[in-house]
Amino acid sequence: MDKKDKKAKLILKSERIISYIVLLLLTFLCLLPFYILLINATRSHPDIQKGFSFLPGKSFITNLKNVLSNENLPVINGIANSLFISGCNAILTTYFSSLTAYAIHAYEFKFKRALFLFILMIMMVPVQVSTLGFIDLMQKLKLLDSFIPLIAPSIAAPVVFFFMKQYMESNLAIEIIEAARIDGSGEFRTFNNIVLPIIKPAIAVQAIFAFVNTWNNYFVPSLIIKTNTKKTLPILIAQLRSADFLKFDMGQLYMLIAIAIFPVIIVYICLSKFIVRGVTAGSIKG
């Protein structure tokens, strides 16, 4: 082995070591907030005020009991409401966005490109711009203080549509659809039995993102929901945070936040194997 090969191997080894160090540092920075959250969820309010500790406290059960027994915070209802709304949004968003993307991908019709660009233009409009009109519409339809305004709009999700369209461009050959048509398969049967299994990784990725975005959404639900038992977890967390100073308990707040992120972690763990596969395949055309 000559000197050039030894030098090249040494450089490669050094680059790998540096990469591992950077990745470990980034992993530490990403996990540190979760560790602080879990530690503070086990500590009492006076202990938290003293400063951060790397060791867990002894108030985990106390904080949990205080959160669950708080009459002003129906936590169990909040968890059920958030799960129901987030689950419905994830299902409706992925299915109907995939169906729309399939129509744009598999059919040739007039103004197809114009329709595609129009959907992309809607994607650029911030939610805050249309919220006032949306609230006014829901009030006229007498749908305020219900879950319908939080679920029904998820049927039209331009961001999810765009991702699914790009994924189909890379992974769904038109020949497969044409073969199904020749065999006498109907369009909905083709989509449900052939297309959906092919795009399953992309659906899993978008289901994760839709679930998490809805689970963490505070802005729109806080304007729609007024009844205490219908409120979602982000509203309850904000409600606890804005409590009277004399009644404010940081131990309860950290415990409630820990409860709020637990379902999200479970969803990520269950569907994480699809993330890299779905994102990579959806970003490369070939």
Side-chain angles (χ1 to χ4, degrees):
M1 185 181 294
D2 56 15
K3 291 183 178 180
K4 288 185 178 179
D5 291 337
K6 289 182 178 179
K7 187 176 181 181
K9 283 191 174 183
L10 183 62
I11 292 174
L12 181 61
K13 189 176 182 180
S14 301
E15 289 177 347
R16 285 180 177 176
I17 292 173
I18 294 173
S19 299
Y20 289 145
I21 292 174
V22 172
L23 290 174
L24 287 173
L25 180 61
L26 291 175
T27 302
F28 173 77
L29 293 176
C30 291
L31 294 179
L32 182 61
F34 293 99
Y35 181 75
I36 294 174
L37 170 64
L38 294 176
I39 290 297
N40 286 339
T42 65
R43 304 171 69 201
S44 63
H45 180 74
D47 291 338
I48 295 174
Q49 286 185 317
K50 293 177 182 178
F52 175 69
S53 172
F54 282 95
L55 299 177
K58 301 178 180 179
S59 302
F60 178 84
I61 302 298
T62 303
N63 291 336
L64 184 61
K65 287 181 178 179
N66 290 338
V67 167
L68 296 179
S69 62
N70 193 329
E71 296 179 356
N72 297 321
L73 294 173
V75 176
I76 303 299
N77 287 336
I79 295 173
N81 297 337
S82 293
L83 282 174
F84 176 73
I85 295 171
S86 301
C88 290
N89 277 357
I91 294 171
L92 293 176
T93 293
T94 51
Y95 183 81
F96 285 99
S97 296
S98 300
L99 189 62
T100 307
Y102 170 72
I104 298 293
H105 176 69
Y107 291 92
E108 291 295 334
F109 53 90
K110 196 175 182 180
F111 303 121
K112 173 181 174 179
R113 180 169 176 78
L115 179 60
F116 179 71
L117 293 176
F118 176 73
I119 296 175
L120 293 187
M121 287 174 60
I122 296 176
M123 185 173 67
M124 303 300 174
V125 179
V127 177
Q128 292 80 1
V129 173
S130 58
T131 300
L132 185 60
F134 176 71
I135 298 298
D136 184 56
L137 176 63
M138 293 300 105
Q139 187 173 10
K140 291 179 180 178
L141 296 175
K142 298 181 180 180
L143 292 176
L144 289 180
D145 201 26
S146 71
F147 294 156
I148 296 176
L150 304 178
I151 296 174
S154 64
I155 294 175
V159 176
V160 182
F161 156 79
F162 177 73
F163 183 90
M164 301 306 299
K165 175 68 167 59
Q166 296 303 106
Y167 189 90
M168 289 181 185
E169 291 283 348
S170 305
N171 297 273
L172 182 61
I174 297 296
E175 291 77 9
I176 297 175
I177 301 171
E178 291 176 347
R181 291 170 180 167
I182 292 172
D183 290 339
S185 175
E187 293 301 324
F188 277 100
R189 184 180 178 185
T190 301
F191 177 75
N192 292 324
N193 296 343
I194 298 175
V195 176
L196 285 183
I198 294 175
I199 63 174
K200 184 169 63 174
I203 289 177
V205 171
Q206 291 306 309
I208 292 173
F209 294 155
F211 184 92
V212 174
N213 287 336
T214 306
W215 184 271
N216 294 329
N217 188 13
Y218 168 77
F219 180 64
V220 177
S222 65
L223 299 175
I224 296 290
I225 304 298
K226 301 302 178 185
T227 304
N228 212 28
T229 55
K230 293 183 180 179
K231 291 180 179 177
T232 57
L233 275 178
I235 301 177
L236 297 180
I237 292 172
Q239 189 174 312
L240 179 60
R241 181 64 183 87
S242 61
D244 187 271
F245 179 76
L246 297 176
K247 299 179 181 179
F248 180 63
D249 187 346
M250 292 186 69
Q252 285 191 53
L253 179 61
Y254 279 108
M255 176 57 68
L256 186 56
I257 296 174
I259 293 173
I261 68 170
F262 186 69
V264 176
I265 294 174
I266 293 177
V267 171
Y268 266 112
I269 292 174
C270 294
L271 301 177
S272 59
K273 65 180 180 179
F274 295 107
I275 294 179
V276 176
R277 193 194 317 171
V279 172
T280 303
S283 60
I284 301 174
K285 184 176 181 180

